[in-house]
Amino acid sequence: MSRTRSTDAHHDTHAHGVHPSTAVLTRGFDPRLSVGSARPAVFRSSTYVFSSPEAAERAFAIALGKVEAKPGEDVDLIYARLNHPNAEILESQIVPLEPGATGAVIFNSGMAAISTLLLAFCGPGGAIVHTTPLYGGTTHLLHQVLLPLGMRAVAVPAGDTAAMTAAIRDTPDLRVVFVETPANPTLVMSDIRAAVDAAATAVTLHAGAPRPVVVVDNTFLGPIFQHPLSLGADLTVYSATKYLAGFSDMLGGVVLTSTPEQLATLRGYRAMLGNILQPDECWLLDGRLPTVALRMNRQSKTAARLAEALAAHPAVERMHYPSLFTDPEQIRIRDAQTSYPGAVITLELRGGKPAAFEFLRRVRIARNAVSLGGVESLTCHPATTTHSEMSPEELEAAGVTPGMVRLSIGVEDRRDLLADFQQALDATQR
Ligand SMILES: Cc1ncc(COP(=O)(O)O)c(C=O)c1O
């Protein structure tokens, strides 16, 4: 192992037997390899000096998948597009936050993570079954890039377990089941375990075909309130831009899995596509990991109390928030796979788009911006912004209405947020 690298998880005495909040601060980084620095240093080098020509040959053979590294082997670093110390440290430290994961692959945005995994695990001729709505960028990727490349996409309404199960069972050449739960922006939940069970039976129906991988976009509730790998999913994917980074000041994406072959595949695609997260950004994100549970717990608690209070306002036609679900199937899914409701609240206002726009104009504390998960509260109108690439028919089918606004709740004082949202709701009724 080169002098500056993080310790390998297998050799890290802290890696096993401690809880996630301890592991995130103690594994994956050995101060002795960073001249005694108590926190990781930044290694900005684009290229790495080989310890010998033989070591270089060996490092390339391993990187190209010709041979496998021996457990604990000290493999030289090559070039920062393939891997670098800050990516290694971050990937090691993020693993304990995702129960069931043994490895992570870090990308320079959530979309980089999603596009890389769909290219890696689907491919031309393959099919993707996905819930709808999806984050607008993911829908755009499917329509603008993956379908023209010869992949097929089958959309099933979020929360419709029977339709999802049937699509997984009946879609030929199914390679990927992509579940975004809760869905952005409707917060409708889909049953992860049902997707996993259906994907397992898909094997027997299409003899000889590889089992489809089940991917969960866990951006809204993970890694603290929902654990897809524990429910049998193969991969979780995040926009790390959101709760993981937590301050709306950087982009990032991550995929986590327990399967070494899938990690190797993703790393190989990442090296070719060149979308690894840069060292400075890895360092920044790494420093945010120890507080993600603290932030998410506080944000969720505030959001739950705001949602309860705002649901009764006469300007609110419909409230979408997990702790206020009334549909028995949604309640069943929520109780089976999530622990807390999270910090995104979606409101449907009486008066449609004009009322929604008036609300956005009137809110003073939360800013009108896309994105979510930061310590500052944000508001947006999904139908005309994040989800505007969907056709009117797709928006209607997915339940994204003109009167819908999405609130991302931060860590401001709850009383201030409540008073502000209430005065903005009052204004829509004048
Ligand atoms: C659920 C979800 N997935 C993926 C993404 C894309 O992430 P990024 O903006 O980091 O590329 C977003 C962004 O809003 C999102 O909300």
Side-chain angles (χ1 to χ4, degrees), residues 7 41 73 118 169 181 198 249 253 264 308 320 347 350 390:
T7 52
E73 183 180 347
L118 289 176
R169 193 189 54 218
T181 183
D249 59 0
E308 275 164 34
H320 303 262
L347 306 172
R350 291 186 207 287
M390 292 170 81

Side-chain angles (χ1 to χ4, degrees), residues 67-105:
V67 293
E68 275 193 25
K70 298 190 191 100
E73 183 180 347
D74 181 2
V75 184
D76 275 9
L77 288 165
I78 299 175
Y79 184 64
R81 177 160 47 73
L82 278 61
N83 195 12
H84 55 75
N86 291 97
E88 283 195 345
I89 293 167
L90 173 58
E91 286 169 350
S92 179
Q93 296 199 331
I94 206 167
V95 163
L97 294 180
E98 185 79 59
T102 55
V105 189

Side-chain angles (χ1 to χ4, degrees), residues 337-362:
Q337 67 190 35
T338 71
S339 54
Y340 286 96
V344 177
I345 302 172
T346 300
L347 306 172
E348 275 177 71
L349 302 186
R350 291 186 207 287
K353 184 176 164 188
F357 275 29
E358 183 62 5
F359 174 80
L360 297 177
R361 270 192 294 270
R362 295 283 182 155

Side-chain angles (χ1 to χ4, degrees), residues 137-310:
T138 310
T139 307
H140 213 40
L141 171 77
L142 287 168
H143 292 172
Q144 302 297 314
V145 180
L146 302 184
L147 301 190
L149 284 176
M151 300 176 210
R152 282 171 297 118
V154 178
V156 291
D160 189 338
T161 306
M164 178 178 69
T165 306
I168 294 171
R169 193 189 54 218
D170 298 338
T171 301
D173 300 314
L174 179 60
R175 299 277 180 268
V176 178
V177 178
F178 191 95
V179 178
E180 184 181 287
T181 183
N184 182 359
T186 58
L187 302 182
V188 175
M189 292 188 180
S190 296
D191 188 333
I192 298 170
R193 179 85 73 182
V196 168
D197 291 346
T201 56
V203 179
T204 51
L205 281 171
H206 307 292
R211 185 179 66 79
V213 294
V214 177
V215 181
V216 176
D217 184 330
N218 207 27
T219 298
F220 271 41
L221 288 182
I224 307 303
F225 303 143
Q226 178 170 270
H227 308 307
L229 301 183
S230 300
L231 298 166
D234 297 285
L235 302 152
T236 51
V237 61
Y238 289 90
S239 168
T241 313
K242 310 299 192 278
Y243 292 100
L244 287 167
F247 289 81
S248 302
D249 59 0
M250 63 166 290
L251 296 171
V254 59
V255 180
L256 292 119
T257 176
S258 62
T259 311
E261 296 76 33
Q262 290 174 347
L263 281 177
T265 301
L266 286 166
R267 292 208 169 104
Y269 271 77
R270 183 182 66 180
M272 289 184 279
L273 297 174
N275 53 14
I276 192 170
L277 191 65
Q278 300 276 333
D280 292 285
E281 309 296 289
C282 286
W283 177 85
L284 204 58
L285 182 53
D286 188 52
R288 306 287 170 76
L289 298 183
T291 60
V292 65
L294 304 175
R295 288 182 276 108
M296 287 189 80
N297 275 306
R298 162 74 190 262
Q299 288 170 260
S300 176
K301 219 174 253 184
T302 302
R305 294 182 70 178
L306 288 174
E308 275 164 34
L310 297 176

Side-chain angles (χ1 to χ4, degrees), residues 383 387-402:
H387 290 69
S388 58
E389 55 241 19
M390 292 170 81
S391 67
E393 297 74 34
E394 284 174 319
L395 286 171
E396 199 185 327
V400 183
T401 62

